[in-house]
Amino acid sequence: MSEERDSAALLDGPRGGAAVRAAQEVEAGRAVVVHGCADGGGVVFAAARADVELTAFAVRCSSGFLCVALSGERCDDLVLPPMSPRTGHRGPTACVTVDASAGVSTGISAADRARTARLLAAPHTAPEDFTRPGHVVPVAVGDAVGDPALLAEAAFALVGLSGLAPAAVYAHLVSPVDPTRMATDDELEAFAVSEGLASAPADGIAALRSATWDAATAG
């Protein structure tokens, strides 16, 4: 009961409100910043809305390692096996990397990776629409958001809340002041302000997802 009260309080507060705004921004096709994750935060946008500008921005402010969070079922449907066995593993699982099999050149450009991301989100994409290995990393996530959440889980939940296809592009943000390390939460929030992006904490996203899920099942 106390956990339910804590979740409700979080949802009603500014952190929950930030999650709502971030979901709205994602739905509109814009990037947002997610912070407060167990593995560091970063830039997130909907794979269905991936374009050259969004993808280039994510590459520029990150290490360039772009991932797309998908459900485990979606990864299975697209024949995207894990890079390593799942034995004893819990949490998000990196799968074999992919490129779109048509309409791309080397696969690594922002335009090529945006196309690959959109294909991962498209409902009628088939396994043969990809070549393996490639330059985009599909990451299989479960239904539950961990506590504390990893960026893959928070990104997947946020895009799901936006109402778009449940596929989230994400990239961990490099520190703007020290390129040898990843950004801290304070740096992530400051980066969002400097770039005019909405930002949301992982726990606010988890609370909003839980409330939305509860409302859907109750109905």
Side-chain angles (χ1 to χ4, degrees):
M1 185 65 73
S2 62
E3 290 182 359
E4 292 179 0
R5 286 198 299 267
D6 291 344
S7 179
L10 180 61
L11 186 58
D12 291 338
R15 297 169 78 79
V20 171
R21 183 182 172 224
Q24 293 169 340
E25 289 290 288
V26 166
E27 182 183 11
R30 290 185 278 272
V32 301
V33 173
V34 175
H35 55 87
C37 301
D39 57 341
V43 173
V44 173
F45 56 90
R49 296 279 198 260
D51 59 17
V52 174
E53 183 178 359
L54 282 172
T55 305
F57 173 73
V59 170
R60 187 170 63 251
C61 65
S62 72
S63 64
F65 191 74
L66 292 193
C67 301
V68 178
L70 302 163
S71 70
E73 292 79 8
R74 178 64 169 163
C75 290
D76 290 341
D77 289 344
L78 294 176
V79 192
L80 302 175
M83 289 189 186
S84 59
R86 287 184 178 139
T87 305
H89 176 79
R90 297 178 64 85
T93 301
C95 298
V96 63
T97 56
V98 294
D99 286 335
S101 59
V104 300
S105 54
T106 63
I108 199 171
S109 70
D112 288 355
R113 285 196 270 183
R115 174 170 172 75
T116 300
R118 291 194 304 272
L119 277 175
L120 287 169
H124 301 301
T125 301
E128 57 269 25
D129 292 322
F130 301 101
T131 58
R132 306 159 178 79
H135 298 88
V136 174
V137 186
V139 176
V141 300
D143 291 333
V145 179
D147 184 19
L150 299 174
L151 181 57
E153 296 170 323
F156 182 73
L158 182 62
V159 173
L161 288 166
S162 76
L164 297 175
V169 179
Y170 69 92
H172 287 84
L173 183 72
V174 172
S175 167
V177 299
D178 182 359
T180 66
R181 62 172 173 81
M182 307 314 291
T184 64
D185 280 345
D186 287 344
E187 288 173 335
L188 287 162
E189 293 185 73
F191 176 81
V193 172
S194 68
E195 296 291 332
L197 302 177
S199 65
D203 57 359
I205 294 169
L208 180 59
R209 184 185 186 281
S210 178
T212 303
W213 182 273
D214 290 345
T217 55

